[in-house]
């Protein structure tokens, strides 16, 4: 039984903190008629497959249909609300979608209209209750509330909801080829949107994309709607020229590693490496028409500019790369010295110092690629909604970061020298201890009578004459003996 979306908000709010909350919005307005009536339509199977791929055990999901809300016919309406267990929710989703048909207006035979903004806004405020999560939208891109033919204006409103709304931190779209033909309408394509709500939702969406689960169902690359000022390029090193004392390598995960021989670089000028990069456009479906570019390295606590032959990027198409040469100085003066504690601790092995290379793009100007425009025109002929992909005239700066691992190779010489010094100190201390505790025999002469006195370092031994009177004290130290407090007129001396 279908329920207003607000009635399922408590279920999403009760989801475990580590779980993701999903709201899947399935359009069933009049424009969607061929997706429901064409026997060959893959609309519902696609929704089932996406939900199965996107959710994991513990996640909370709400499946809802939407068109346009009217008195007596709220939209969206929940079809299914549950927490995902150890099995994919495919069977439950199939059962919920099976009876879903094209909606009609209340008390009328007319087919229902569509309000995309209402559906997404309601999902965020009511189903998610203002909390983080992912909102999924399955639509044919027809946005016409009240059968409004001013679709361009409606699309701009939807555009503002996505781009100007602070709640949506990331938005992507998958334009899919799905030709269907019904009794009233026909269509060539379908759009699947994913809106990440708040920063936690963005992290959850990024983790889902990294997992590759969604790509097993949707093989098309995600087209980015928001943000357009982050991660616009990717930096990939392709060739590094080694310099004396420094050997470079590119690790499988793309990081750059520099092995520095501390002995070879000690006392000399800072070595400078020439690195050739591939600067890749990572912001499909946009071409970077123009941007100013600068780079810097942050290694061993030193931030230094990286020399580039050009300060501009122009006409860089999505997925394409521009070669980029650079010169990077290694701040060996900031590296720990061979007598430092860190060097001694890592003697005979490599001391790893994390760092990074940053590439900054400023004054970016993006353009929707022509190939994507043509694809959208084929999938959605005569539909102005692809204008939603039109980027602002000016995009704020963006930064690409490449982790760098500096491995400082220290020889075992300093450690061996330090250990030798430590052993010498220990030996001296041991000799001193033995000398301090060992007994001594000291020869003294009192009134012409030679005597042998048994003593040790630190002792003060009184000396007496034949009558038993104290005539002096023998003070023994680690370095020798001396007489003290000698009585006036007494005949006392060391030795015979």
């Amino acid at each position: 039984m279908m329920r207003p979306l607000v009635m399922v908000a408590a279920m999403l709010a009760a989801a475990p903190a580590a779980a993701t909350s999903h709201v899947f919005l399935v359009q069933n307005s009049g424009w969607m008629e061929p997706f429901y009536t064409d026997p060959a339509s893959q609309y519902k199977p696609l929704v089932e497959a996406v939900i199965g791929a996107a959710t994991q055990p513990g996640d909370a999901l709400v499946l809802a249909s939407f068109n346009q809300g009217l008195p007596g016919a709220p939209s969206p309406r929940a079809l299914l609300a549950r927490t995902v267990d150890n099995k994919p929710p495919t069977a439950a989703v199939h059962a919920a979608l099976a009876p879903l048909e094209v909606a009609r207006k209340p008390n009328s035979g007319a087919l229902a209209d569509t309000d995309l903004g209402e559906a997404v806004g309601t999902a965020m405020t009511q189903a998610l209750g203002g909390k983080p999560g992912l909102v999924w939208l399955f639509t044919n891109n027809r946005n016409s509330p009240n059968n409004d033919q001013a679709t361009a204006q409606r699309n701009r409103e939807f555009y503002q909801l996505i781009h100007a709304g602070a709640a949506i931190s990331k938005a992507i779209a998958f334009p899919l080829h799905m030709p269907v033909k019904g009794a009233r309408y026909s269509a060539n394509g379908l759009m699947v949107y994913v809106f990440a709500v708040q920063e936690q939702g963005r992290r959850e969406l990024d983790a889902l994309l990294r997992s590759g689960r969604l790509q097993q169902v949707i093989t098309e690359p995600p087209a980015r709607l928001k943000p357009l000022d982050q991660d616009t390029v990717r930096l990939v090193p392709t060739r590094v020229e080694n310099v004396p004392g420094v050997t470079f390598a590119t690790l499988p995960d793309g990081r750059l590693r520099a092995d520095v021989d501390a002995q070879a670089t000690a006392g000399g000028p800072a070595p400078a490496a020439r690195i050739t990069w591939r600067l890749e456009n990572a912001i499909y479906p946009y071409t970077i028409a123009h941007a100013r570019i600068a780079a810097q390295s942050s290694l061993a606590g030193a931030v230094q500019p990286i020399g580039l032959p050009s300060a501009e990027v122009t006409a860089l198409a999505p997925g394409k790369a521009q070669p980029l040469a650079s010169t990077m100085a290694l701040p060996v003066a900031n590296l720990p010295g061979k007598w430092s504690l860190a060097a001694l601790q890592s003697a005979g092995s490599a001391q790893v110092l994390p760092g990074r290379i940053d590439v900054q793009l400023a004054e970016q100007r993006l353009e929707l690629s022509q190939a994507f425009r043509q694809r959208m025109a084929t999938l959605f002929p005569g539909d102005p909604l692809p204008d939603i992909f039109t980027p602002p005239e000016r995009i704020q700066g963006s930064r690409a970061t490449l982790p760098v691992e500096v491995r400082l190779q220290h020889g075992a010489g300093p450690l061996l020298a330090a250990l030798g010094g430590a052993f010498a100190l220990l030996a001296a201390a041991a000799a001193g201890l033995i000398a301090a505790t060992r007994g001594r025999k000291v020869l003294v002469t009192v009134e012409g009578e030679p005597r042998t006195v048994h003593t040790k370092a630190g002792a003060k031994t009184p000396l007496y004459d034949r009558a038993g009177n104290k005539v002096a004290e023998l003070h023994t130290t680690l370095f020798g003996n001396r007489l003290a407090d000698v009585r006036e007129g007494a005949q006392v001396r060391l030795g015979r």
Side-chain angles (χ1 to χ4, degrees):
M1 180 177 183
M2 293 191 295
R3 295 168 288 175
L5 205 56
V6 69
M7 295 178 62
V8 301
M11 190 276 293
L12 290 181
T20 300
S21 295
H22 299 263
V23 181
F24 297 93
L25 300 173
V26 181
Q27 184 177 347
N28 71 330
S29 61
W31 287 113
M32 296 294 292
E33 179 260 345
F35 291 92
Y36 287 88
T37 59
D38 189 334
S41 172
Q42 292 298 303
Y43 182 53
K44 290 181 180 179
L46 172 68
V47 175
E48 295 174 16
V50 169
I51 295 177
T55 58
Q56 295 189 102
D59 288 354
L61 78 87
V62 169
L63 173 64
S65 63
F66 79 94
N67 38 77
Q68 181 189 9
L70 294 174
S75 174
R77 295 183 69 90
L79 307 176
L80 175 68
R82 63 175 295 173
T83 299
V84 180
D85 53 24
N86 292 328
K87 295 182 180 180
T90 308
V93 172
H94 179 81
L97 285 175
L100 185 64
E101 297 178 345
V102 177
R104 297 181 180 274
K105 296 179 181 179
N107 304 319
S108 170
L111 297 177
D113 298 326
T114 310
D115 193 334
L116 301 180
E118 175 190 58
V120 175
T122 303
M124 291 191 297
T125 58
Q126 294 187 12
L128 291 177
K131 294 185 176 181
L134 301 181
V135 176
W136 302 72
L137 188 71
F138 298 83
T139 174
N140 71 334
N141 266 353
R142 295 283 184 174
N143 190 26
S144 55
N146 303 319
N147 200 27
D148 188 351
Q149 298 305 306
T151 52
Q153 173 61 31
R154 295 300 184 182
N155 294 338
R156 282 192 292 270
E157 294 174 358
F158 189 46
Y159 178 95
Q160 289 298 317
L161 172 66
I162 297 172
H163 289 277
I168 296 177
S169 59
K170 184 170 185 173
I172 60 175
F174 298 92
L176 305 178
H177 179 64
M178 188 177 289
V180 288
K181 185 175 180 60
R184 296 179 179 232
Y185 307 113
S186 61
N188 291 338
L190 180 77
M191 189 76 86
V192 179
Y193 293 96
V194 190
F195 304 105
V197 181
Q198 301 180 22
E199 281 304 309
Q200 180 179 329
R202 178 177 176 171
R203 291 191 293 270
E204 292 165 347
L205 177 55
D206 288 341
L208 172 61
L209 295 176
R210 286 194 303 269
S211 73
R213 301 196 311 272
L214 189 60
Q215 289 85 332
Q216 295 177 2
V217 176
I218 302 178
T219 58
E220 293 291 330
R224 193 190 307 188
L225 288 170
K226 181 182 182 180
L228 300 181
D229 59 354
Q230 300 175 27
D231 304 320
T232 57
V233 293
R234 183 166 42 246
L235 201 59
V236 181
T238 57
R239 184 171 181 271
V240 184
E241 297 179 8
N242 293 331
V243 295
V246 183
T247 303
F248 289 93
T250 302
L251 302 180
D253 59 3
R255 286 180 300 143
L256 186 66
R257 185 174 69 195
D259 285 298
V260 182
D261 185 346
Q263 304 301 317
T265 58
R274 288 187 54 80
I275 306 176
T276 302
W277 312 91
R278 214 171 51 237
L279 187 69
E280 297 180 351
N281 180 342
I283 189 170
Y284 177 81
Y286 304 97
T287 294
I288 302 177
H290 178 268
R292 296 186 62 81
I293 183 172
Q296 67 179 23
S297 64
S298 300
L299 303 172
V303 178
Q304 297 179 338
I306 295 178
L308 301 175
S310 174
E312 294 184 346
V313 175
T314 57
L316 188 57
K320 301 299 181 181
Q322 173 177 314
L324 186 68
S326 64
T327 302
M328 181 180 70
L330 287 174
V332 294
N334 290 58
L335 299 178
K338 65 179 180 179
W339 294 109
S340 66
L341 178 60
L344 295 176
Q345 289 175 336
S346 60
S349 61
Q351 179 187 357
V352 179
L353 303 174
R356 70 178 189 273
I357 293 174
D358 295 317
V359 173
Q360 295 88 22
L361 270 67
E363 302 176 15
Q364 296 181 90
R365 185 163 54 84
L366 305 180
E367 296 176 352
L368 197 61
S369 70
Q370 289 301 317
F372 187 77
R373 287 182 180 274
Q374 294 172 4
R375 175 173 173 78
M376 295 296 287
T378 301
L379 295 180
F380 309 102
D383 183 4
L385 189 59
D387 288 345
I388 195 173
F389 288 96
T390 303
E393 291 185 4
R394 290 290 178 183
I395 305 295
Q396 295 179 359
S398 178
R399 187 180 76 178
T401 298
L402 175 71
V404 178
E405 180 183 282
V406 178
R407 299 202 313 175
L408 194 58
Q409 302 285 352
H410 289 285
L415 177 60
L416 293 177
L419 291 176
F423 282 129
L425 289 175
L426 288 174
L433 180 62
I434 292 173
T437 57
R438 184 182 60 190
R440 300 182 184 183
K441 293 180 180 181
V442 181
L443 184 62
V444 297
T445 300
V446 180
E447 294 182 344
E449 179 186 353
R451 299 179 186 177
T452 300
V453 179
H454 294 271
T455 183
K456 60 181 180 180
K460 296 179 179 181
T461 306
L463 301 177
Y464 301 93
D465 60 13
R466 292 188 183 91
N469 300 314
K470 181 179 178 182
V471 294
E473 272 189 351
L474 175 64
H475 289 188
T476 303
T477 67
L478 191 63
F479 306 101
N481 305 281
R482 68 182 181 87
L483 294 174
D485 298 332
V486 180
R487 192 179 69 188
E488 185 178 355
Q491 298 180 6
V492 183
R493 67 178 184 272
L494 292 174
R496 291 187 178 275

